[in-house]
Amino acid sequence: LDRVKSLTEMLVSTMVLAVMLLVRERGGAAAIPVRLIIDTDMSGDCDDVGATCLAHALMDRGEAELIAVVHNTGLDTGVGAISAINTYYNRPDLLVGAYKGPFDAWLRGPYVDDLVTRFPGRITNASQARDALDVYRQALATSPNSSVWISSIGFTTNLETLLKSEADRWSPLDGAQLIAAKVRGVAWMGGRYPASTPGGPGLPSPEHNFGFNGIGPSTAFTVGAWPQSVPIHFLGFEVGAAVGSGGVMTNHTPPTNPCRAAYIDHSGAGNDRWSWDPATTLFAVRESEAFYTLHTTGHNAVGQDGNNRWIETGRAENQSYLVLTSNASAVKAAINALLVASPRVTVSS
């Protein structure tokens, strides 16, 4: 029965992916690949791994151009796990940046060091990586105007620093100006909607990315200081927690796959994990698909403790939050189809 179920899931995943590749909201096969930066707290939860692997698979299909991955906690080996994934997908030289402050340096998930020690990569720890701010500013400054999507799937340590940055060797613009000039939009995993209070069993208050370990003031600043011309689309806790994914990699990808290893280390063989970060990154590239509607009237108010509340104004602003309108199994199938895809082989000229 389990084998039949697994084969059925694979068939559905393949069918969903085929349809999406033929009919895409961004204009079909001729669409320009989406320039993408992933800002991840790859340290505790394995869904950050899923998001990064998914982005590489989208790049293999010509849907995305992953131009940088930056790590936003102080965990020294977080960038090493990122490098292992980049190497597996034959992109060992992809720009990687490390946050080098103390925030959350103690949180070391069950998979990070496994990926660093068992899988090849150019970088193993933060001392070998460039500063995340420098990578951010290079990636943005060298991109066409209004071309970059940011998938924010962690904390705001890097985004706050970027907003406060000044002109440098990459650009005469300060951080807010650079964001306004280069960023097309942000897909941001964070908060609960319409509000993170009250809490309760299974209902974090505040939501982890917005309030964990005292990050609330940084979150509040970043949301408040974000340039009004650049859209933010929030994917809340409730959306990602409705969709499980990743367990299919156990039986349908090889042991050489670090994404498979991370999910087994974190959740056990064959088990799914909630899809907060893969769903956010998929939205950054494909936008709404047929999965969501956007609640576009109003804005997000974030307190110093990280709790958030949607302020309904009746008019469209630069912020929205996603409402899941499709069956969760359709989102799961789309994510899994990308996670089980083999990396494209690089052919030397």
Side-chain angles (χ1 to χ4, degrees):
L1 183 60
D2 288 342
R3 179 173 176 80
V4 172
K5 180 180 178 183
S6 178
L7 289 172
T8 301
E9 286 183 351
M10 285 292 295
L11 179 61
V12 171
S13 297
T14 302
M15 292 173 64
V16 168
L17 181 60
V19 171
M20 288 179 175
L21 291 177
L22 289 171
V23 184
R24 288 166 49 201
E25 288 188 287
R26 291 183 180 271
I32 298 173
V34 176
R35 293 179 70 82
L36 178 66
I37 297 173
I38 294 180
D39 194 337
T40 170
D41 64 332
M42 194 177 292
S43 55
D45 208 322
C46 65
D47 64 326
D48 294 85
V49 172
T52 307
C53 298
L54 176 147
H56 278 285
L58 288 167
M59 192 168 176
D60 283 346
R61 283 156 181 71
E63 295 186 58
E65 182 180 356
L66 184 59
I67 59 175
V69 183
V70 292
H71 190 250
N72 57 49
T73 81
L75 178 65
D76 58 343
T77 51
V79 289
I82 293 168
S83 183
I85 295 167
N86 294 346
T87 300
Y88 176 72
Y89 283 94
N90 298 307
R91 298 184 180 98
D93 297 321
L94 185 74
L95 282 177
V96 174
Y99 162 78
K100 300 189 179 184
F103 177 77
D104 229 20
W106 55 271
L107 183 58
R108 189 179 300 272
Y111 66 86
V112 177
D113 290 344
D114 184 33
L115 266 57
V116 174
T117 57
R118 287 206 299 127
F119 297 89
R122 297 280 177 87
I123 297 170
T124 60
N125 60 70
S127 69
Q128 300 168 343
R130 289 170 53 193
D131 186 86
L133 175 62
D134 193 55
V135 168
Y136 243 133
R137 289 189 60 91
Q138 177 188 357
L140 292 177
T142 56
S143 293
N145 288 343
S146 300
S147 67
V148 178
W149 272 87
I150 297 173
S151 177
S152 176
I153 52 174
F155 303 108
T156 50
T157 51
N158 293 329
L159 289 177
E160 178 184 5
T161 303
L162 176 62
L163 278 166
K164 293 177 176 178
S165 65
E166 299 180 353
D168 64 358
R169 61 179 175 143
W170 299 113
S171 173
L173 303 178
D174 66 27
Q177 293 168 336
L178 188 60
I179 291 168
K182 302 295 185 175
V183 178
R184 178 176 174 180
V186 180
W188 190 335
M189 195 282 118
R192 283 172 45 217
Y193 300 90
S196 62
T197 56
L203 296 175
S205 178
E207 187 274 323
H208 181 84
N209 286 355
F210 272 18
F212 182 69
N213 200 23
I215 198 66
S218 175
T219 308
F221 169 82
T222 303
V223 172
W226 197 256
Q228 290 294 309
S229 61
V230 180
I232 302 175
H233 305 293
F234 295 102
L235 186 144
F237 174 88
E238 69 284 353
V239 174
V243 181
S245 63
V248 68
M249 287 188 286
T250 296
N251 293 325
H252 296 282
T253 64
T256 54
N257 185 340
C259 314
R260 173 185 183 271
Y263 273 71
I264 292 174
D265 288 344
H266 183 279
S267 301
N271 293 327
D272 284 339
R273 180 57 177 155
W274 302 130
S275 303
W276 297 290
D277 296 349
T280 300
T281 303
L282 186 61
F283 177 84
V285 175
R286 292 180 176 169
E287 296 192 46
S288 63
E289 302 272 351
F291 299 153
Y292 312 103
T293 58
L294 298 178
H295 187 96
T296 59
T297 55
H299 60 269
N300 209 3
V302 181
Q304 293 296 299
D305 63 351
N307 272 303
N308 73 287
R309 179 168 61 94
W310 191 260
I311 305 300
E312 184 61 57
T313 62
R315 66 179 185 276
E317 302 187 30
N318 73 319
Q319 300 178 14
S320 66
Y321 67 86
L322 276 62
V323 179
L324 182 64
T325 53
S326 75
N327 191 301
S329 62
V331 186
K332 173 177 181 170
I335 292 172
N336 279 344
L338 293 165
L339 292 180
V340 300
S342 299
R344 183 163 49 184
V345 176
T346 301
V347 179
S348 300
S349 56

